[in-house]
């Protein structure tokens, strides 16, 4: 275990002001119907608050002390806890449409899965910091700015450039990425990752290159209720689709038939998710704040929510913090509201 690593997981809960918090890693943001039901079940153990993080993980809040086993029980059979020893180091961001966007240069699902297997299959990598992050980009520019340590970028069918190097096939790319991760355990510096750029908005209905549609809804200030996960699971089941969690705090249903996209989008809107890319809520974020963090000096989330109702289209990134620590400040956002004022 990394000596300074206090990142929570499922088997190591974080003690917050509103109870214990579990963080579930989702390599590539992938969630199937079973996974959505399992997360909803864990949310019911706690206060029902579900958070989507800037690393496309899911956090479940307000769990009782000592509920690690109860939390793991629904997650393991749903495939969300494949390696207890590596659960906190499976940090793999992936482009939310995973190669389906018309501007994508290649598919990434197989690479993300192989990288995850590689991480979990390497005993030494269990000692990685819980902050260590891989990013797998499909070349569409939809992943957005991030602070990944190792970047794998699609450069054509089954070709990936690792850390800006020459493109290689999937298997070799995984080997290179794992070797870079291993170097950090021996205090060897890594070559700088290629720069990332602000995301192309993927909120609402986005036409995929195969003619089907990805339908995406954003959680206001990164939070939703557990019952929304349950409802999204039912929606995904009816549409025969799977879901991706994106770092812009989105839930995206992939491969929706074009004839059903309008209904799916309307349903996500009914569930309280933002489905209009021009909404003032887009680009607005806030830390855990009042009720969840004892350091919050004022009702930061309530203040941010008032801003969300006021902001117009294209208001730009804005982050609200309850104290100088500025937790959750997104990559590329230089200052925050609240604590800085
Ligand atoms: S920024 Fe401050 S108030 Fe907000 S979650 Fe972090 S420590 Fe708590």
């Amino acid at each position: 275990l990394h000596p300074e690593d206090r990142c929570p997981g499922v088997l190591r809960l974080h003690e917050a002001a509103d109870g214990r918090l579990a963080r579930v890693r989702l390599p590539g943001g992938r969630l199937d119907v079973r996974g959505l039901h399992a997360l909803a079940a864990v949310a019911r153990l706690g206060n029902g608050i579900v958070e989507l993080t800037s690393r496309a993980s899911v956090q479940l809040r307000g769990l009782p002390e000592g509920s690690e086993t109860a939390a793991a029980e629904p997650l393991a059979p749903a495939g969300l806890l494949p390696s207890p020893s590596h659960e906190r180091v499976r940090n793999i961001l992936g482009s939310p449409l995973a190669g389906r966007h018309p501007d994508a240069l290649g598919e990434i699902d197989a690479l993300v899965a192989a990288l995850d297997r590689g991480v979990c299959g390497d005993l030494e990598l269990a000692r990685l910091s819980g902050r260590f992050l891989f990013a797998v980009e499909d070349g569409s520019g939809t992943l957005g700015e991030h602070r990944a340590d190792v970047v794998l970028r699609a450069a054509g069918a089954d070709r990936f450039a690792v850390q800006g190097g020459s493109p290689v096939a999937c298997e070799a790319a995984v080997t290179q990425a794992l070797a870079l991760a291993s170097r950090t355990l021996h205090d060897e510096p890594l070559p700088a990752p290629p720069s990332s750029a602000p995301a192309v908005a993927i909120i609402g209905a986005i036409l995929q290159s195969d003619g089907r549609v990805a339908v995406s809804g954003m959680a206001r200030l990164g939070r939703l209720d557990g019952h929304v996960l349950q409802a999204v699971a039912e929606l995904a089941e009816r549409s025969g689709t799977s879901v991706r969690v994106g770092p812009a705090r989105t839930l995206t249903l992939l491969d929706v038939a074009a004839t059903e996209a309008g209904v799916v989008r309307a349903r996500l809107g009914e569930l309280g998710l933002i489905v209009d890319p021009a909404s003032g809520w887009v680009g607005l974020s806030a830390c855990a704040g009042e009720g969840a963090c004892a350091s919050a000096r004022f009702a930061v989330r309530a203040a941010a929510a008032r801003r969300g109702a006021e902001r117009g289209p294209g208001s730009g990134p804005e982050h609200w913090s309850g104290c100088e620590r500025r937790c959750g400040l997104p990559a590329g956002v230089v200052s925050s509201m609240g604590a800085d004022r």
Side-chain angles (χ1 to χ4, degrees):
L1 188 68
H2 197 273
E4 292 168 12
D5 190 355
R6 291 189 294 174
C7 287
V10 175
L11 303 176
R12 190 154 59 124
L13 303 175
H14 166 71
E15 189 178 344
D18 59 347
R20 300 299 194 268
L21 174 149
R23 183 179 299 162
V24 185
R25 270 71 174 184
L26 304 173
R30 291 180 83 153
L31 260 181
D32 59 15
V33 170
R34 270 196 332 159
L36 284 160
H37 282 301
L39 289 170
V42 181
R44 287 194 292 274
L45 295 173
N47 59 14
I49 295 176
V50 177
E51 292 174 332
L52 310 182
T53 78
S54 61
R55 295 172 152 226
S57 297
V58 171
Q59 292 182 165
L60 306 145
R61 303 200 68 104
L63 300 169
E65 186 182 354
S67 54
E68 288 85 349
T69 308
E73 219 167 70
L75 297 175
L80 295 180
L81 203 55
S83 171
S85 55
H86 290 70
E87 63 139 339
R88 296 177 317 108
V89 299
R90 302 170 64 228
N91 295 305
I92 306 175
L93 266 182
S95 300
L97 269 57
R100 293 160 175 83
H101 192 277
D103 295 338
L105 299 175
E107 297 184 358
I108 61 168
D109 282 343
L111 177 78
V112 169
L115 185 57
D116 185 29
R117 281 195 303 274
V119 169
C120 293
D122 187 324
L123 277 182
E124 184 190 46
L125 294 184
R127 292 195 293 113
L128 275 176
S129 159
R131 305 292 310 160
F132 190 89
L133 181 65
F134 297 96
V136 182
E137 301 177 357
D138 65 9
S140 63
T142 54
L143 187 56
E145 286 191 87
H146 55 71
R147 303 186 184 100
D149 300 280
V150 172
V151 176
L152 302 91
R153 190 170 285 168
D158 193 40
R159 307 294 290 169
F160 298 92
V162 180
Q163 216 73 336
S166 301
V168 294
C170 176
E171 199 177 326
V174 169
T175 305
Q176 287 183 15
L178 295 176
L180 288 171
S182 172
R183 273 168 63 170
T184 65
L185 295 174
H186 302 281
D187 294 327
E188 292 178 38
L190 296 188
S195 57
S196 55
V200 176
I202 52 136
I203 290 169
I206 305 108
L207 190 63
Q208 298 179 183
S209 50
D210 63 2
R212 292 183 289 181
V213 179
V215 186
S216 194
M218 189 197 79
R220 289 166 211 243
L221 302 180
R223 279 193 186 167
L224 37 84
D225 292 332
H227 75 80
V228 172
L229 286 183
Q230 192 75 37
V232 170
E234 287 157 15
L235 193 58
E237 196 156 20
R238 270 204 305 278
S239 310
T241 61
S242 66
V243 169
R244 301 296 158 102
V245 177
R249 276 81 169 188
T250 49
L251 287 176
T252 303
L253 282 84
L254 295 176
D255 307 329
V256 177
T259 49
E260 282 184 34
V263 173
V264 172
R265 178 180 166 154
R267 179 68 182 132
L268 290 182
E270 281 167 17
L271 292 171
L273 295 167
I274 301 296
V275 292
D276 176 3
S279 165
W281 289 91
V282 176
L284 183 66
S285 56
C287 73
E290 67 273 24
C293 177
S295 301
R297 290 206 305 266
F298 70 109
V300 55
R301 292 189 65 86
R306 282 195 295 276
R307 279 287 297 147
E310 288 165 16
R311 278 167 41 113
S315 294
E318 184 177 316
H319 182 73
W320 283 71
S321 300
C323 79
E324 295 77 6
R325 286 189 61 190
R326 300 190 190 102
C327 303
L329 185 69
V333 180
V334 287
S335 69
S336 59
M337 307 288 284
D340 291 347
R341 294 236 152 167

